[in-house]
Amino acid sequence: MIKKDYYEILGISRDASTDEIKKAYRKLALKYHPDKNQEKQAEEKFKEAAEAYDILSNPEKKKRYDKFGHSSSQGDSGGMNMEDIFTNFGDIFGDAFSFSGFSNYKKKNIKGSDLRIKVKLTLNEILKGIEKKMKVQRMKMAKGVELIFCKNCNGTGQITRVTNTILGIMHTTTTCSICGGLGKKSERLPKGVNNQGLKKKEELVSITIPPGVTEGIQLKISGKGNDAPFGNGIPGDLIVVIEEIPHEKLKREGKNLHYDLYISFPDAVLGAYEEVPTGDGKARLKIDAGTQSGKTLRLKGKGLPFLEGYGRGDLLIHIIVWTPKKLNEEQKKMFQQMKNEENFIPQKSEKSFFEKVREMFSS
């Protein structure tokens, strides 16, 4: 499904000011708020507007979006839910939803706890991106749980106490200790069900992992965490923590890959062609005659993709000339004859090691 342009969603121009962005979002949020608008598509339009505002109201996110489009937020795979919107942007509504309907909406949308799992990826999977199907143990609302109206709080989930003080009448509101703020409590719990009416069940969850993720990055899958107590709310989220499986030959450094290529002394002198591994296959590399040990060759675009979806890093090949430790008599004699030849006497490199590194990364 093709996502709509954020500027188009809010009905503003690309050079709109911060105040204009906020004003446009507030107008749409008030129009499509689920407490006021009962149309079928209202909640989706409400979320859509909030997502657009989240990007365009943040200078850094807006800059990336203007440059890369929707791919700039590719890593945030969870999207926005109603809980996120009210938590992050609730102050924008002001007093427009101070009536009971808004508080009821928040109360019924108690959120279940989040789950956290680790996913191990190979270098090839990180390079291309992958969809993984993982078995997740989730706490789900159990069948056969009977709930009754909580008489202690009259179904409100809160206890209000009125106290007379020298300063006047004081109202103190606390969460009901009997129902835990739900307004309902369990009458009968089946076997294996906890006191919140939840039971552990295994579920196969599909996780889409974009190319270019790094060790430790967290992806959020909305609604795939534990159910809210007694199913009276929205499920929590599934937090996916990425772990990288080290490659046997390539070493990762950010978006670049490194490979140590060992060549023989004759190949260094005469030149050769070598096959080197890449993240998704192999590449044929030309070694020029007279190549020095320590030289670094670069294959542009053979590294890992940027998570933002624009460009790829490089593969850096470090040449190491292998020197044999044992020679037979004939080989020793040959090298003795070459030892004092002028072109076998070490010469100072035209550029220092640090100059070469600086030049390599600036080009």
Side-chain angles (χ1 to χ4, degrees), residues 292-351:
Q292 302 296 315
S293 187
K295 183 179 179 65
T296 298
L297 305 177
R298 176 171 63 175
L299 294 181
K300 289 187 177 182
K302 287 296 183 180
L304 295 170
F306 288 86
L307 188 59
E308 294 81 5
Y310 180 80
R312 284 177 60 169
D314 303 324
L315 172 59
L316 304 174
I317 299 147
H318 307 284
I319 304 296
I320 302 172
V321 178
W322 187 80
T323 305
K325 294 182 178 180
K326 294 182 179 180
L327 298 174
N328 58 35
E329 290 302 319
E330 184 178 348
Q331 290 168 337
K332 286 181 180 180
K333 185 177 179 181
M334 179 185 68
F335 279 104
Q336 284 290 346
Q337 291 174 345
M338 294 185 295
K339 185 176 180 180
N340 296 320
E341 294 287 337
E342 185 176 350
N343 63 336
F344 277 88
I345 299 175
Q347 302 292 319
K348 181 181 180 300
S349 176
E350 295 179 1
K351 296 180 181 178

Side-chain angles (χ1 to χ4, degrees), residues 13 26 31 35 41 51 78 179 199 239 258 321-322 342:
S13 63
R26 190 176 189 276
K31 179 180 179 181
D35 281 349
Q41 299 299 323
E51 182 180 338
C179 67
K199 186 175 183 179
I239 308 301
H258 294 262
V321 178
W322 187 80
E342 185 176 350

Side-chain angles (χ1 to χ4, degrees), residues 5 26 51 61-62 79 86 104 109 111 134 147 162 164 188 209-210 221 244 246 263 268 276 294 305 317 338 343:
D5 179 77
R26 190 176 189 276
E51 182 180 338
K61 291 181 179 179
K62 183 177 184 296
F86 290 128
N104 288 338
N109 277 282
K111 191 175 182 181
M134 306 288 294
L147 300 178
V162 181
N164 290 315
R188 184 175 67 85
I209 300 173
I221 313 298
E244 294 184 27
I263 64 173
V276 297
I317 299 147
M338 294 185 295
N343 63 336

Side-chain angles (χ1 to χ4, degrees), residues 6-7 10 12 21 52-59 62 65-66:
Y6 288 144
Y7 291 98
L10 297 184
I12 56 176
I21 294 172
Y53 178 73
D54 177 52
I55 298 298
L56 300 183
S57 64
N58 184 299
K62 183 177 184 296
Y65 176 74
D66 288 342

Side-chain angles (χ1 to χ4, degrees), residues 40-323:
K40 187 176 180 181
Q41 299 299 323
E43 185 171 320
E44 282 306 311
K45 290 183 178 180
F46 182 75
K47 292 179 181 179
E48 189 178 62
E51 182 180 338
Y53 178 73
D54 177 52
I55 298 298
L56 300 183
S57 64
N58 184 299
E60 287 300 318
K61 291 181 179 179
K62 183 177 184 296
K63 184 178 179 181
R64 292 200 302 269
Y65 176 74
D66 288 342
K67 188 173 183 181
F68 303 117
H70 288 297
S71 62
S72 64
S73 56
Q74 194 173 8
D76 186 12
S77 61
M80 297 194 75
N81 55 42
M82 300 299 281
E83 187 77 10
D84 295 329
I85 296 170
F86 290 128
T87 299
N88 297 329
F89 312 134
D91 59 323
I92 291 178
F93 304 129
D95 297 328
F97 295 99
S98 59
F99 50 84
S100 60
F102 179 53
S103 60
N104 288 338
Y105 181 86
K106 291 197 294 184
K107 190 181 77 170
K108 77 178 182 180
N109 277 282
I110 295 173
K111 191 175 182 181
S113 59
D114 292 341
L115 285 176
R116 186 179 298 267
I117 63 171
K118 293 181 179 179
V119 174
K120 294 185 177 182
L121 301 176
T122 65
L123 186 66
N124 186 262
E125 289 172 333
I126 293 173
L127 176 67
K128 297 179 178 179
I130 190 172
E131 183 173 329
K132 289 240 178 202
K133 294 190 180 297
M134 306 288 294
K135 291 181 179 179
V136 178
Q137 298 288 335
R138 299 178 60 197
M139 298 300 292
K140 299 279 292 180
M141 177 64 184
K143 295 181 179 179
V145 176
E146 296 180 5
L147 300 178
I148 61 173
F149 183 78
C150 179
K151 297 179 180 179
N152 188 54
C153 63
N154 291 320
T156 64
Q158 297 178 330
I159 301 295
T160 301
R161 291 182 173 85
V162 181
T163 308
N164 290 315
T165 70
I166 59 174
L167 299 176
I169 299 175
M170 301 289 290
H171 294 260
T172 305
T173 302
T174 58
T175 300
C176 177
S177 60
I178 302 299
C179 67
L182 298 176
K184 299 177 182 179
K185 62 179 183 177
S186 60
E187 175 73 1
R188 184 175 67 85
L189 292 175
K191 185 178 180 181
V193 178
N194 68 13
N195 59 6
Q196 293 184 333
L198 306 177
K199 186 175 183 179
K200 186 175 287 188
K201 294 183 179 180
E202 186 175 83
E203 183 176 329
L204 194 64
V205 178
S206 180
I207 303 170
T208 301
I209 300 173
V213 293
T214 56
E215 173 85 21
I217 196 172
Q218 297 183 6
L219 306 176
K220 184 178 75 173
I221 313 298
S222 294
K224 291 299 181 180
N226 293 323
D227 278 357
F230 299 113
N232 189 29
I234 59 176
D237 302 322
L238 177 64
I239 308 301
V240 181
V241 183
I242 301 298
E243 287 189 353
E244 294 184 27
I245 301 173
H247 193 275
E248 58 179 2
K249 295 180 179 179
L250 298 171
K251 183 178 180 180
R252 179 178 184 177
E253 183 185 36
K255 301 305 174 189
N256 293 329
L257 297 175
H258 294 262
Y259 177 67
D260 289 338
L261 176 61
Y262 287 81
I263 64 173
S264 67
F265 183 72
D267 283 344
V269 173
L270 302 174
Y273 284 92
E274 293 285 345
E275 197 173 64
V276 297
T278 63
D280 53 358
K282 295 179 179 180
R284 187 170 171 81
L285 182 69
K286 180 183 179 182
I287 307 297
D288 292 332
T291 294
Q292 302 296 315
S293 187
K295 183 179 179 65
T296 298
L297 305 177
R298 176 171 63 175
L299 294 181
K300 289 187 177 182
K302 287 296 183 180
L304 295 170
F306 288 86
L307 188 59
E308 294 81 5
Y310 180 80
R312 284 177 60 169
D314 303 324
L315 172 59
L316 304 174
I317 299 147
H318 307 284
I319 304 296
I320 302 172
V321 178
W322 187 80
T323 305

